[in-house]
Coordinates of all heavy atoms in Angstrom, one line a residue:
A2 N -101.1 -17.6 -81.7 CA -99.8 -17.3 -80.9 C -100.1 -17.4 -79.4 O -99.2 -17.9 -78.7 CB -99.4 -15.8 -81.3
N3 N -101.3 -17.0 -79.0 CA -101.6 -17.1 -77.5 C -101.6 -18.6 -77.1 O -101.2 -19.0 -76.0 CB -102.9 -16.5 -77.3 CG -102.8 -14.9 -77.4 OD1 -101.7 -14.4 -77.3 ND2 -104.0 -14.3 -77.6
L4 N -102.2 -19.4 -78.0 CA -102.2 -20.9 -77.7 C -100.9 -21.5 -77.6 O -100.6 -22.3 -76.7 CB -103.0 -21.6 -78.8 CG -103.2 -23.1 -78.6 CD1 -104.0 -23.4 -77.3 CD2 -104.0 -23.7 -79.8
R5 N -100.0 -21.1 -78.5 CA -98.6 -21.6 -78.4 C -97.9 -21.1 -77.1 O -97.2 -21.9 -76.4 CB -97.8 -21.1 -79.6 CG -98.2 -21.7 -80.9 CD -97.4 -21.1 -82.1 NE -97.8 -21.7 -83.3 CZ -97.3 -21.3 -84.5 NH1 -96.5 -20.3 -84.6 NH2 -97.7 -21.9 -85.6
E6 N -98.1 -19.8 -76.7 CA -97.5 -19.4 -75.5 C -98.1 -20.1 -74.3 O -97.3 -20.5 -73.3 CB -97.8 -17.9 -75.3 CG -97.0 -17.0 -76.4 CD -95.5 -17.1 -76.2 OE1 -95.1 -17.3 -75.1 OE2 -94.8 -17.0 -77.2
K7 N -99.4 -20.4 -74.3 CA -100.0 -21.1 -73.1 C -99.4 -22.5 -73.1 O -99.1 -23.0 -72.0 CB -101.5 -21.1 -73.3 CG -102.1 -19.7 -73.0 CD -103.7 -19.8 -73.2 CE -104.3 -18.4 -73.0 NZ -105.8 -18.5 -73.1
T8 N -99.3 -23.1 -74.3 CA -98.8 -24.5 -74.3 C -97.4 -24.6 -73.8 O -97.0 -25.4 -73.0 CB -98.9 -25.1 -75.7 OG1 -100.2 -25.0 -76.2 CG2 -98.4 -26.5 -75.7
R9 N -96.5 -23.6 -74.2 CA -95.1 -23.5 -73.8 C -95.0 -23.3 -72.3 O -94.2 -23.9 -71.6 CB -94.4 -22.4 -74.6 CG -92.9 -22.4 -74.3 CD -92.3 -21.2 -75.1 NE -92.6 -21.4 -76.5 CZ -92.4 -20.4 -77.4 NH1 -92.0 -19.2 -77.0 NH2 -92.7 -20.6 -78.7
A10 N -95.9 -22.4 -71.8 CA -95.9 -22.2 -70.3 C -96.3 -23.4 -69.6 O -95.7 -23.7 -68.5 CB -96.8 -21.0 -70.0
R11 N -97.3 -24.1 -70.0 CA -97.7 -25.4 -69.3 C -96.6 -26.4 -69.3 O -96.4 -27.1 -68.4 CB -99.0 -25.9 -70.0 CG -100.2 -25.1 -69.7 CD -101.4 -25.6 -70.5 NE -102.6 -24.7 -70.3 CZ -103.7 -24.9 -71.0 NH1 -103.8 -25.8 -71.9 NH2 -104.8 -24.1 -70.7
L12 N -95.9 -26.6 -70.5 CA -94.8 -27.5 -70.6 C -93.7 -27.1 -69.7 O -93.1 -28.0 -69.0 CB -94.3 -27.6 -72.0 CG -95.3 -28.3 -73.0 CD1 -94.7 -28.2 -74.4 CD2 -95.5 -29.7 -72.7
L13 N -93.4 -25.8 -69.6 CA -92.3 -25.4 -68.7 C -92.7 -25.6 -67.2 O -91.9 -26.1 -66.4 CB -92.1 -23.9 -68.9 CG -91.0 -23.2 -68.0 CD1 -89.7 -23.9 -68.3 CD2 -90.9 -21.7 -68.3
L14 N -94.0 -25.3 -66.9 CA -94.4 -25.6 -65.5 C -94.4 -27.1 -65.2 O -94.0 -27.5 -64.1 CB -95.8 -25.1 -65.4 CG -96.5 -25.3 -64.0 CD1 -95.6 -24.6 -62.9 CD2 -97.9 -24.8 -64.0
L15 N -94.8 -27.9 -66.2 CA -94.7 -29.4 -66.0 C -93.3 -29.8 -65.8 O -93.0 -30.7 -64.9 CB -95.3 -30.1 -67.2 CG -95.3 -31.6 -67.2 CD1 -96.1 -32.1 -65.9 CD2 -95.9 -32.2 -68.4
A16 N -92.3 -29.3 -66.6 CA -90.9 -29.6 -66.4 C -90.4 -29.3 -65.0 O -89.6 -30.0 -64.4 CB -90.1 -29.0 -67.5
V17 N -90.8 -28.1 -64.5 CA -90.4 -27.7 -63.2 C -90.9 -28.6 -62.1 O -90.2 -29.0 -61.2 CB -90.8 -26.2 -63.0 CG1 -90.6 -25.8 -61.5 CG2 -90.1 -25.3 -63.9
R18 N -92.2 -29.0 -62.3 CA -92.8 -29.9 -61.3 C -92.1 -31.2 -61.3 O -91.9 -31.8 -60.3 CB -94.3 -30.0 -61.6 CG -95.1 -28.8 -61.3 CD -96.6 -29.0 -61.6 NE -97.4 -27.8 -61.2 CZ -98.7 -27.6 -61.5 NH1 -99.3 -28.6 -62.3 NH2 -99.3 -26.6 -61.1
V19 N -91.9 -31.8 -62.5 CA -91.2 -33.0 -62.6 C -89.8 -33.0 -62.0 O -89.4 -33.9 -61.3 CB -91.1 -33.5 -64.1 CG1 -90.3 -34.7 -64.2 CG2 -92.5 -33.8 -64.6
S20 N -89.1 -31.9 -62.3 CA -87.7 -31.7 -61.7 C -87.8 -31.7 -60.2 O -87.0 -32.3 -59.5 CB -87.1 -30.5 -62.3 OG -85.8 -30.2 -61.7
F21 N -88.7 -30.9 -59.7 CA -88.9 -30.8 -58.2 C -89.2 -32.1 -57.6 O -88.7 -32.5 -56.6 CB -89.9 -29.7 -57.9 CG -90.1 -29.5 -56.4 CD1 -89.2 -28.8 -55.7 CD2 -91.2 -30.1 -55.8 CE1 -89.3 -28.7 -54.3 CE2 -91.4 -29.9 -54.4 CZ -90.4 -29.2 -53.7
A22 N -90.2 -32.8 -58.3 CA -90.6 -34.1 -57.8 C -89.5 -35.1 -57.7 O -89.4 -35.9 -56.8 CB -91.8 -34.6 -58.6
F23 N -88.5 -35.1 -58.6 CA -87.4 -36.0 -58.6 C -86.3 -35.6 -57.8 O -85.5 -36.4 -57.3 CB -86.9 -36.3 -60.1 CG -87.8 -37.3 -60.8 CD1 -88.8 -36.8 -61.7 CD2 -87.6 -38.6 -60.6 CE1 -89.5 -37.7 -62.4 CE2 -88.4 -39.5 -61.3 CZ -89.4 -39.1 -62.2
S24 N -86.2 -34.3 -57.6 CA -85.0 -33.8 -56.8 C -85.2 -33.9 -55.3 O -84.3 -34.2 -54.6 CB -84.7 -32.3 -57.2 OG -85.8 -31.5 -56.8
V25 N -86.4 -33.7 -54.8 CA -86.6 -33.7 -53.3 C -86.3 -35.1 -52.7 O -85.6 -35.1 -51.7 CB -88.1 -33.2 -53.0 CG1 -88.4 -33.4 -51.6 CG2 -88.2 -31.8 -53.4
P26 N -86.8 -36.2 -53.2 CA -86.5 -37.5 -52.6 C -85.0 -37.7 -52.6 O -84.5 -38.4 -51.7 CB -87.2 -38.5 -53.5 CG -88.4 -37.7 -54.1 CD -87.8 -36.4 -54.3
M27 N -84.3 -37.3 -53.6 CA -82.8 -37.5 -53.7 C -82.1 -36.8 -52.5 O -81.2 -37.3 -51.9 CB -82.3 -37.1 -55.0 CG -82.7 -37.9 -56.2 SD -82.1 -37.3 -57.8 CE -80.4 -37.3 -57.5
L28 N -82.6 -35.6 -52.2 CA -82.0 -34.8 -51.1 C -82.3 -35.5 -49.8 O -81.5 -35.5 -48.9 CB -82.6 -33.4 -51.1 CG -82.1 -32.5 -52.3 CD1 -82.9 -31.2 -52.2 CD2 -80.6 -32.3 -52.3
I29 N -83.4 -36.1 -49.7 CA -83.8 -36.8 -48.4 C -83.1 -38.1 -48.2 O -82.6 -38.4 -47.1 CB -85.3 -36.9 -48.3 CG1 -86.0 -35.6 -48.3 CG2 -85.7 -37.8 -47.1 CD1 -87.5 -35.6 -48.3
T30 N -83.0 -38.9 -49.2 CA -82.5 -40.3 -49.1 C -81.0 -40.4 -49.3 O -80.5 -41.5 -49.1 CB -83.2 -41.2 -50.0 OG1 -83.0 -40.7 -51.4 CG2 -84.7 -41.2 -49.8
A31 N -80.3 -39.3 -49.7 CA -78.9 -39.4 -50.0 C -78.2 -39.7 -48.7 O -78.4 -39.1 -47.7 CB -78.4 -38.1 -50.6
P32 N -77.3 -40.7 -48.6 CA -76.6 -41.1 -47.4 C -75.7 -40.0 -47.0 O -75.0 -39.4 -47.8 CB -75.9 -42.4 -47.7 CG -75.7 -42.4 -49.2 CD -76.9 -41.6 -49.7
A33 N -75.6 -39.8 -45.7 CA -74.6 -38.7 -45.2 C -73.2 -39.2 -45.3 O -72.9 -40.4 -45.0 CB -75.0 -38.4 -43.7
Q34 N -72.3 -38.4 -45.7 CA -70.9 -38.7 -45.9 C -70.2 -38.5 -44.5 O -70.6 -37.7 -43.7 CB -70.2 -37.8 -46.9 CG -70.8 -38.0 -48.3 CD -70.6 -39.3 -48.9 OE1 -69.6 -39.9 -48.6 NE2 -71.6 -39.9 -49.5
A35 N -69.2 -39.3 -44.3 CA -68.4 -39.2 -43.1 C -67.7 -37.8 -43.0 O -67.4 -37.2 -44.0 CB -67.3 -40.3 -43.0
S36 N -67.5 -37.3 -41.8 CA -66.9 -36.0 -41.6 C -65.5 -35.9 -42.3 O -64.7 -36.9 -42.2 CB -66.8 -35.7 -40.1 OG -66.2 -34.4 -39.9
D37 N -65.3 -34.8 -42.9 CA -64.0 -34.6 -43.5 C -62.9 -34.5 -42.4 O -63.2 -33.9 -41.4 CB -64.0 -33.3 -44.3 CG -62.8 -33.1 -45.3 OD1 -61.7 -33.6 -44.9 OD2 -63.0 -32.6 -46.4
L38 N -61.7 -35.0 -42.7 CA -60.7 -34.9 -41.7 C -60.3 -33.5 -41.3 O -59.8 -33.2 -40.2 CB -59.5 -35.7 -42.1 CG -59.6 -37.3 -42.2 CD1 -58.3 -37.9 -42.7 CD2 -60.1 -37.8 -40.9
T39 N -60.5 -32.6 -42.3 CA -60.2 -31.2 -42.0 C -61.1 -30.6 -40.9 O -60.7 -29.7 -40.1 CB -60.3 -30.3 -43.2 OG1 -61.7 -30.5 -43.8 CG2 -59.3 -30.7 -44.3
R40 N -62.3 -31.2 -40.7 CA -63.2 -30.8 -39.7 C -62.7 -31.1 -38.3 O -62.8 -30.4 -37.3 CB -64.6 -31.3 -39.9 CG -65.7 -30.7 -39.1 CD -67.0 -31.2 -39.6 NE -67.3 -30.8 -41.0 CZ -68.3 -31.2 -41.7 NH1 -69.2 -32.0 -41.1 NH2 -68.5 -30.9 -42.9
Y41 N -62.1 -32.3 -38.2 CA -61.5 -32.7 -36.9 C -60.3 -31.8 -36.6 O -60.0 -31.5 -35.4 CB -61.0 -34.2 -37.0 CG -62.1 -35.2 -37.2 CD1 -61.9 -36.2 -38.1 CD2 -63.3 -35.1 -36.5 CE1 -62.9 -37.2 -38.2 CE2 -64.3 -36.0 -36.7 CZ -64.1 -37.1 -37.5 OH -65.1 -38.0 -37.7
A42 N -59.5 -31.4 -37.6 CA -58.4 -30.5 -37.4 C -58.8 -29.1 -37.0 O -58.0 -28.4 -36.4 CB -57.5 -30.4 -38.7

Side-chain angles (χ1 to χ4, degrees):
N3 291 337
L4 181 59
R5 290 177 181 174
E6 291 297 330
K7 290 180 180 180
T8 303
R9 185 180 305 166
R11 289 174 181 172
L12 291 174
L13 179 60
L14 180 60
L15 179 61
V17 172
R18 287 178 177 173
V19 172
S20 175
F21 180 76
F23 278 97
S24 61
V25 171
M27 290 175 62
L28 292 174
I29 294 176
T30 59
Q34 298 296 322
S36 179
D37 194 326
L38 293 182
T39 56
R40 193 170 301 174
Y41 297 138

